[in-house]
Amino acid sequence: MRPIIGMTTYVMPASWGVWRDLPTTLIPYDYTAAVTEAGGRVVLLPPDDLDTDVLRMLDGLVVSGGPDIGPELYGAEPGPHTVTHPDRDAAEMPLLRAALDRDLPVLGVCRGMQLLVAASGGTLHQHLPDVLGHERHRVAPGVYSDHDAVFTPGSRIAGLMGADVTINCFHHQGVSDPGTLTVTGRAEDGLPEAVEDPERRFVLGVQWHPEVRRDRRLFGALVGAAAERI
């Protein structure tokens, strides 16, 4: 029996066939394929802020990438470059907190890592060029930039990544304070790129996009942790 992995999604206008600009629940196929290839079964989770009961049927959770999280989630006012989707915030924050309370295995990707930081009492830089003085973490619309990360020896992410430490980034916000999480990976400029909670079964956030490469190291680790619950 394959572990059931819930995955948060967007609601965006989309077009296909004869249909144009219909509000659509969607997620890039690489996300679902990465979980499937790692041995899991995906259930898509549209934004739903009514309850978190779906967690009773899940073995793990992927909090996917997307737009900026609302700065009110970490006690800040929105800056001029911050673009949010409040429907996702309203649905995903309670879902994530409930998953953490249940010790459900969680993988946060890009926005998902940032939401994980906010849920853990941390804060974000809202526009990295203002802090770092460069735009190498988001070089152009729809273009990933490659970096060689440095991982903390003995950490979960170091064990998973091994000798291949190249990561692919597309983000203009980043972690300022990780809260109760532990930073276990950084880019060459020192920006946190991975966070973990070593006290929990499996809680990992990565600022890059492992789904694009269908990285079995990360998604396989999530599915493996989820399988232990079955």
Side-chain angles (χ1 to χ4, degrees):
M1 181 176 179
R2 288 185 290 168
I4 306 299
I5 308 297
M7 182 175 293
T8 63
T9 62
Y10 304 73
V11 173
M12 300 284 288
S15 302
W16 67 94
V18 299
W19 309 107
R20 293 292 180 269
D21 296 326
L22 291 181
T24 305
T25 297
L26 57 84
I27 193 74
Y29 177 64
D30 281 333
Y31 276 102
T32 59
V35 171
T36 301
E37 291 174 9
R41 183 70 163 94
V42 178
V43 172
L44 298 184
L45 304 176
D48 181 343
D49 62 357
L50 298 181
D51 58 56
T52 61
D53 291 351
V54 68
L55 293 175
R56 293 182 296 180
M57 295 174 279
L58 301 180
D59 303 306
L61 178 67
V62 174
V63 186
S64 64
D68 304 328
I69 68 172
E72 68 276 5
L73 296 178
Y74 50 92
E77 295 293 325
H81 302 284
T82 297
V83 179
T84 65
H85 279 202
D87 62 325
R88 287 193 64 176
D89 292 343
E92 292 177 11
M93 182 58 89
L95 189 72
L96 176 56
R97 284 177 169 153
L100 294 173
D101 287 344
R102 291 171 176 261
D103 201 19
L104 200 71
V106 172
L107 174 63
V109 175
C110 198
R111 167 195 159 90
M113 168 172 151
Q114 295 172 0
L115 194 72
L116 185 59
V117 166
S120 303
T123 60
L124 303 179
H125 298 300
Q126 289 190 48
H127 194 54
L128 291 175
D130 294 342
V131 178
L132 301 176
H134 65 76
E135 299 191 26
R136 291 196 294 273
H137 292 277
R138 189 176 68 173
V139 294
V143 176
Y144 294 104
S145 56
D146 285 348
H147 303 262
D148 283 345
V150 176
F151 299 111
T152 302
S155 65
R156 182 186 296 274
I157 190 63
L160 293 175
M161 295 296 286
D164 181 1
V165 296
T166 301
I167 60 175
N168 57 325
C169 294
F170 183 78
H171 60 99
H172 81 111
Q173 298 198 339
V175 173
S176 172
D177 177 354
T180 60
L181 298 172
T182 301
V183 175
T184 54
R186 295 183 184 272
E188 63 270 17
D189 56 14
L191 186 73
E193 292 285 347
V195 293
E196 304 178 21
D197 186 344
E199 301 301 317
R200 296 182 185 273
R201 179 196 308 268
F202 185 97
V203 173
L204 174 64
V206 296
Q207 190 64 82
W208 68 94
H209 285 271
E211 79 285 354
V212 173
R213 297 169 178 168
R214 302 189 186 179
D215 194 332
R216 291 199 184 192
R217 295 171 297 180
L218 274 63
F219 288 95
L222 172 72
V223 170
E228 295 175 359
R229 294 175 50 88
I230 298 176

